[in-house]
Amino acid sequence: MKFISWNVNGLRACLKKDFEASFAALDADFFCLQETKLQEGQVELPLEGYHQYWNYAEKKGYSGTAIFCREQPLSVRYGMDKPEHNTEGRLITLEMEQFYLVCCYTPNAQDGLKRIEYRQQWEADLRDYLMELDKVKPVVYCGDLNVAKEEIDLKNPKSNRGNAGFSDQERDCMRTLLSSGFTDSFRHLYPDLAGAYSWWSYRFNARANNAGWRIDYFIVSDRLVPHMTGASIHPEIMGSDHCPVELELEF
């Protein structure tokens, strides 16, 4: 069973950069998108054989998530049980027979950590939400989580220490989640692999120089670890400042 997660940084723009060809080549059973930047009806995707689920932000041209899946879910939830977190289209949960799939676009702490208090509240509430799901079925949690957990997860850790995405607060939130019964799938399989990034700034020729960050994840309930058969990153796929990340599970 193959899962893909991709922050497309505006789906309408990505569609002009061979999104549909990349989608077909990746051939996933579950395809999760973040930062679609859409309102309902602005695009129609003829994805034959896939069910489509969209969560739109109230603010136009902002945030947004989607999941495309071959198998129809048992149920679908948009957002979490906290109304204050549900206006930006950041979360979709599919209940499948054997697991929950949660697609997330985590709020950015912003320059100067202007939004760090909200980010920390989001992280605490989302952790509670994931742990409640995990009591029922194991969880596959994916998306642009807007944090590089360790120094190995970005090219320039010293100069970025304390910046959004590499602040002590955000890193601590990720560590707390991972100590609560969850596993970072890629780092579990490749604990020492450096230079594996999923996002590059559009500035300073960063992608060509592989001066990037690993901020896109598949995080799974610990009891799914024996079912993992692969995790990978696809920097060869263009169309966004992020690239797709992949998880394979076998049941």
Side-chain angles (χ1 to χ4, degrees), residues 41-55:
Q42 287 189 309
V43 300
E44 282 194 24
L45 280 178
L47 304 177
E48 187 174 351
Y50 285 85
H51 304 277
Q52 301 187 24
Y53 303 95
W54 301 80
N55 195 3

Side-chain angles (χ1 to χ4, degrees), residues 5 7 34 65 90-91 102-109 119 122-123 126 130 140-149 164-166 170-171 173-174 177-178 183-185 198-199 213-220 242 245:
S5 177
N7 178 323
Q34 302 88 42
T65 47
R90 293 185 177 274
L91 205 66
V102 180
C103 172
C104 178
Y105 177 39
T106 300
N108 192 302
R119 167 67 178 266
W122 167 279
E123 295 277 11
L126 183 62
L130 295 174
V140 177
Y141 167 50
C142 71
D144 174 1
L145 305 188
N146 261 318
V147 62
K149 182 170 68 73
F166 200 58
E170 293 162 300
R171 296 169 69 196
C173 286
M174 175 60 85
L177 174 65
L178 293 175
T183 296
D184 174 355
S185 60
S198 63
W199 174 78
W213 299 49
R214 189 177 72 94
I215 59 175
D216 301 87
Y217 295 79
F218 274 99
I219 290 173
V220 300
H242 295 249
V245 297

Side-chain angles (χ1 to χ4, degrees), residues 4-7 30-34 66-68 101 103 142 218:
I4 291 289
S5 177
W6 191 9
N7 178 323
F30 296 89
F31 206 109
C32 300
L33 302 184
Q34 302 88 42
I67 303 179
F68 313 135
L101 174 61
C103 172
C142 71
F218 274 99

Side-chain angles (χ1 to χ4, degrees), residues 113-165:
L113 303 183
K114 286 183 291 188
R115 212 182 186 195
I116 192 64
E117 289 185 10
Y118 176 69
R119 167 67 178 266
Q120 289 175 290
Q121 189 60 56
W122 167 279
E123 295 277 11
D125 291 341
L126 183 62
R127 176 174 164 268
D128 289 344
Y129 176 72
L130 295 174
M131 291 178 72
E132 284 300 312
L133 293 179
D134 189 55
K135 291 177 183 177
V136 182
K137 295 179 183 181
V139 175
V140 177
Y141 167 50
C142 71
D144 174 1
L145 305 188
N146 261 318
V147 62
K149 182 170 68 73
E150 304 297 344
E151 292 192 357
I152 195 175
D153 294 316
L154 71 167
K155 178 70 171 182
N156 297 305
K158 289 183 180 179
S159 60
N160 281 292
R161 179 75 185 271
N163 289 342

Side-chain angles (χ1 to χ4, degrees), residues 164-198:
F166 200 58
S167 69
D168 292 346
Q169 299 97 311
E170 293 162 300
R171 296 169 69 196
D172 285 347
C173 286
M174 175 60 85
R175 292 182 184 124
T176 299
L177 174 65
L178 293 175
S179 68
S180 302
F182 297 92
T183 296
D184 174 355
S185 60
F186 183 84
R187 197 51 77 195
H188 177 81
L189 293 174
Y190 304 102
D192 303 313
L193 182 61
Y197 308 129
S198 63

